Amino acid sequence: MIRVETVSKRFGDVVAVDEASFEARDGLVTGILGPNGAGKSTTLRMIYGLLRPNGGRIDVDGISVAGNPLEAQARMGALPDVSGLYARLTSREQIEYFGQLRGLSSKQIEANVQYWTGALGMEGIIQRRTAGFSHGERTKVAIARALVHRPQNVILDEPTNGLDVMATRAVRDVIRALRNEGCCVVFSSHVMQEVSALCDRIVVIVRGRVAADGTPDELRQRTGHPNLEDAFVALAGQKQETL
Amino acid sequence: MNAKRLWVVARKELIDAGRDRRAIIGLVIGSVIGPVLLAGMLNFQVRRQTVTELRVPVTGGQYAPLLVNWLRQQAGVSVVEGPADMEAAQAAVRGGREPFVLAIATDYGKKFAGMRPAQVQIVRDSTGNASSGGRERLRRLIGQYSAEIGGLRLVARGVSPSIAHAVAVEDLEISTVQQRAARVLSMLPMMVLFAAFTAALQISSDATAGERERGALEPLLLNPVPRIELVTGKWLAAAIFAVVGMLGTLALMVAAFSMVPFAETGVRFSFTVAQVVQWLAVVLPAGLLAPALEIYLASFARTFKEAQQYMGFVIMVPMLGLMGSMAFPGFTGLWLAPVPIFGQFELAKAILSGESPAVTWYLLSTISVAACTATLIALAAGLFRSEKLITSR
């Protein structure tokens, strides 16, 4: 359960996020949808505690991210927009490293390495060093590494960006499995198909503000467009006009 | 701080750097460069002090058989048949085929018998590359021969040769052998520190600026681990590289020493185990400052290349220590003890000179260098807390 309340973030004179509020509940997939540069990554980075908001409040499972960042981070697993793997370590070593940093026992780590190897179809790459991996392979390892502790709250920043069909399917299956386990999943995208295929709720962010928040059906109704993409364009355009 | 997690971070960096060819090359170069320099310097000194063969080409040797014979009997001198005549001798020297030629005038014998100064010439070319060492030695030898003959002539006339020597000059060496050895060894701390800086350089910049450039810091910082632990773990790995580099360089230096013929220089090394242990206890902590300084500076850099530029200056630090103690030999007050590197250099010098430095010196300098290391790590952790680490890559 992640609650974002009137959160703002400025970089110098640039307002990246402007009093954004939304909620991501357990057992649901919440999509953060917005054009490039809308403030999606900045919002996610504030949720997982790497950027400090200039105003507002973020709680993860009732724990304040600003007040107790390590405790909040322990309840989250996050995939940033760059996989950032260690090229000289094997897939397994990277996953184990993050598991050790999170204080898991070697038994837990081994069980979770097995789980993610199966879930993401990494049998062929688990013992290989990650230098020269394809984008899809890197993303799989990065997901397994970020979620090695099987967290309750999962934050994915454009996880399917640039992936081929097979890798995209594997990531979607993981997201659905997480939802079915009752996890709170937040993922950002600028691709409509991704969002409509997966999300229970959609938060549309345009120029740092929440332009709309609701189920796909609610968004369609609100804008009067039966097609979600048209609804999104209407919301994004409307917001830009008012600014 | 959680010691187990600290080691998790350090272990990962060690594995990572262990597979990084550049880190291993840095470690090897760092260990080797000091001993090679030192061996070169010592060899130069040894060679300068040992007698090398002096080759004397003589033109017109038949005019001065006594002189040529005398020269032949001198240790380390070999007389060879030179160019046929004066013209050929000049051409040989001008052409660089001979560094010099000893030419004996045709009337040498007549003048020698007549007790007038008999003439020899040393044909030389000052614009050439030949060193003046051999020439000067030959000049001294001939001067010695001249004095011997002159002495014999005086004796033959019933006069003591010593009245011809109004003033006698003699060098009196007052430094002890141990002190001369210590002078050579005063270079050692600099070289060991140099090894520490070089060995840790690659791992320090790759684990910070390199990971930032590759976007690997953001996922790392998502783990619920205090930044100070991450930085300390990275420092620990780099410090292990530094210590391996320092010990490697020391081992190679011991090996290099054993190959240099010290007996010929009059320099003798004999240290007690206690001295060696003291020396290591002084110098090794200074080496731990190296990775801390490198990690701190590299944490400013956005890219690995930018970090490498900073590292170029860092390498100068150990030399500053040595230059400082050379430039201000009189500055040995207690205030110097807490100055990092300088304090260690003074201490190391004192220990090898056979002095036993005060415990306060040791405590002050070691506590100071440890405090500086901790401060640099804390400052680097501060940089790791900055949002710029993530937002400007």
Side-chain angles (χ1 to χ4, degrees), chain B residues 10-29:
Chain B
R11 190 170 156 271
K12 176 262 161 188
E13 298 300 347
L14 286 173
I15 293 174
D16 207 342
R19 292 174 188 169
D20 181 2
R21 201 160 34 96
R22 283 184 297 186
I24 297 302
I25 289 173
L27 180 63
V28 170
I29 287 179

Side-chain angles (χ1 to χ4, degrees), chain B residues 61-348:
Chain B
Q62 68 272 26
Y63 305 122
L66 273 178
L67 171 61
V68 171
N69 248 336
W70 183 87
L71 279 175
R72 276 211 178 94
Q73 284 159 16
Q74 301 309 304
V77 177
S78 72
V79 177
V80 296
E81 187 74 27
D85 54 29
M86 193 60 183
E87 238 167 71
Q90 285 180 14
V93 172
R94 193 173 296 119
R97 289 188 298 282
E98 298 286 1
F100 58 87
V101 171
L102 177 64
I104 294 166
T106 45
D107 60 353
Y108 178 94
K110 211 168 83 190
K111 283 186 171 165
F112 190 87
M115 309 262 167
R116 281 174 294 144
Q119 226 170 28
V120 299
Q121 284 171 319
I122 296 174
V123 183
R124 64 180 219 189
D125 180 357
S126 301
T127 60
N129 288 327
S131 84
S132 60
R135 213 164 59 212
E136 292 308 316
R137 216 170 119 204
L138 176 63
R139 183 189 297 281
R140 280 198 302 276
L141 281 171
I142 293 172
Q144 197 185 327
Y145 175 73
S146 171
E148 268 180 39
I149 299 297
L152 287 174
R153 285 174 180 171
L154 290 176
V155 169
R157 282 158 187 77
V159 180
S160 164
S162 59
I163 66 161
H165 297 286
V167 177
V169 185
E170 193 187 338
D171 285 327
L172 182 64
E173 178 62 58
I174 57 159
S175 68
T176 65
V177 167
Q178 188 73 355
Q179 276 173 323
R180 262 177 283 160
R183 192 173 158 71
V184 175
L185 290 176
S186 68
M187 296 292 230
L188 246 155
M190 185 202 71
M191 287 172 175
V192 171
L193 277 196
F194 187 77
F197 275 92
T198 317
L201 196 145
Q202 178 74 22
I203 179 170
S204 300
S205 25
D206 195 70
T208 52
E211 291 201 348
R212 179 176 176 181
E213 185 178 9
R214 297 190 292 271
L217 283 186
E218 185 169 357
L220 177 65
L221 298 179
L222 292 175
N223 294 299
V225 181
R227 309 279 158 102
I228 185 82
E229 265 182 40
L230 292 175
V231 175
T232 309
K234 285 171 186 288
W235 168 81
L236 182 60
I240 289 171
F241 262 64
V243 169
V244 170
M246 288 192 281
L247 293 179
T249 224
L250 278 171
L252 285 173
M253 282 191 193
V254 169
F257 277 176
S258 66
M259 282 189 285
V260 176
F262 280 112
E264 295 175 38
T265 62
V267 173
R268 212 156 27 81
F269 294 106
S270 59
F271 302 114
T272 62
V273 176
Q275 266 178 311
V276 173
V277 169
Q278 273 183 5
W279 192 87
L280 286 175
V282 165
V283 174
L284 292 187
L288 302 184
L289 186 66
L293 182 61
E294 287 171 344
I295 282 182
Y296 173 60
L297 288 178
S299 298
F300 278 107
R302 281 181 214 182
T303 65
F304 182 76
K305 271 209 167 133
E306 193 186 339
Q308 294 284 293
Q309 284 178 336
Y310 300 160
M311 295 305 128
F313 299 104
V314 170
I315 289 291
M316 309 293 273
V317 170
M319 288 176 214
L320 281 181
L322 185 73
M323 286 192 292
S325 74
M326 276 176 159
F328 308 107
F331 286 5
T332 47
L334 195 64
W335 66 271
L336 202 61
V339 181
I341 313 278
F342 287 84
Q344 273 75 28
F345 277 28
E346 288 301 317
L347 262 180

Side-chain angles (χ1 to χ4, degrees), chain A residues 9 45 48 50-52 70 73 78 80 82-84 86 88-89 93 97-98 100-102 129 145, chain B residues 5 8-9 12 16 19-20 206 211 215-216 218-225 227 385 387 390 393:
Chain A
K9 181 66 186 176
R45 280 169 166 172
Y48 55 62
L50 287 199
L51 297 182
R52 284 172 287 274
L70 298 188
Q73 282 182 334
V82 179
S83 61
Y86 304 114
R88 291 182 290 266
L89 298 193
E93 283 167 337
Y97 178 42
F98 275 35
Q100 288 160 353
L101 283 179
R102 286 184 174 274
R129 294 191 195 173
R145 191 174 72 163
Chain B
R5 215 159 39 189
V8 166
V9 177
K12 176 262 161 188
D16 207 342
R19 292 174 188 169
D20 181 2
D206 195 70
E211 291 201 348
E218 185 169 357
L220 177 65
L221 298 179
L222 292 175
N223 294 299
V225 181
R227 309 279 158 102
R385 275 181 216 109
E387 295 185 344
I390 306 301
R393 215 170 53 210

Side-chain angles (χ1 to χ4, degrees), chain A:
Chain A
M1 170 85 169
I2 294 169
R3 184 179 289 126
V4 177
E5 274 174 45
T6 61
V7 162
S8 300
K9 181 66 186 176
R10 287 187 305 274
F11 296 108
D13 294 335
V14 181
V15 179
V17 177
D18 191 5
E19 301 205 335
S21 298
F22 62 89
E23 222 177 61
R25 282 174 229 149
D26 288 348
L28 295 182
V29 178
T30 306
I32 310 287
L33 184 63
N36 289 326
K40 300 189 296 291
S41 287
T42 303
T43 304
L44 296 187
R45 280 169 166 172
M46 286 192 285
I47 294 174
Y48 55 62
L50 287 199
L51 297 182
R52 284 172 287 274
N54 295 112
R57 180 187 169 86
I58 299 171
D59 286 340
V60 175
D61 291 347
I63 295 161
S64 157
V65 174
N68 202 344
L70 298 188
E71 186 79 8
Q73 282 182 334
R75 304 185 147 271
M76 281 185 273
L79 181 78
D81 58 350
V82 179
S83 61
L85 297 182
Y86 304 114
R88 291 182 290 266
L89 298 193
T90 66
S91 309
R92 173 181 275 280
E93 283 167 337
Q94 330 233 4
I95 301 166
E96 285 175 346
Y97 178 42
F98 275 35
Q100 288 160 353
L101 283 179
R102 286 184 174 274
L104 305 188
S105 71
S106 48
K107 212 183 243 173
Q108 285 171 306
I109 292 174
E110 183 52 37
N112 290 341
V113 166
Q114 294 296 339
Y115 171 81
W116 286 117
T117 305
L120 288 161
M122 297 197 297
E123 290 83 359
I125 57 169
I126 190 73
Q127 302 290 7
R128 275 172 50 200
R129 294 191 195 173
T130 60
F133 271 23
S134 72
H135 182 54
E137 289 168 333
R138 282 205 303 273
T139 303
K140 286 179 178 181
V141 177
I143 288 176
R145 191 174 72 163
L147 306 182
V148 59
H149 54 308
R150 311 291 299 276
Q152 172 63 29
N153 302 282
V154 175
I155 298 148
L156 308 166
D157 195 355
E158 310 216 354
T160 55
N161 204 5
L163 294 188
D164 62 26
V165 180
M166 297 311 292
T168 302
R169 277 202 174 182
V171 173
R172 282 184 191 173
D173 288 346
V174 164
I175 291 176
R176 287 201 189 94
L178 288 167
R179 173 179 56 193
N180 294 341
E181 286 168 23
C183 290
C184 166
V185 183
V186 177
F187 89 94
S188 72
S189 180
H190 60 268
V191 182
M192 187 55 54
Q193 291 87 331
E194 282 311 311
V195 176
S196 59
L198 285 166
C199 292
D200 304 303
R201 289 189 71 84
I202 298 174
V203 177
V204 179
I205 294 188
V206 181
R207 297 212 173 173
R209 294 192 183 189
V210 175
D213 181 1
T215 63
D217 284 339
E218 282 169 0
L219 292 192
R220 277 189 276 259
Q221 271 175 10
R222 221 182 102 182
T223 55
H225 289 283
N227 179 314
L228 200 57
E229 186 168 318
D230 292 337
F232 172 59
V233 170
L235 284 165
Q238 182 194 347
K239 198 72 199 173
Q240 273 163 351
E241 274 159 32
T242 58
L243 279 170

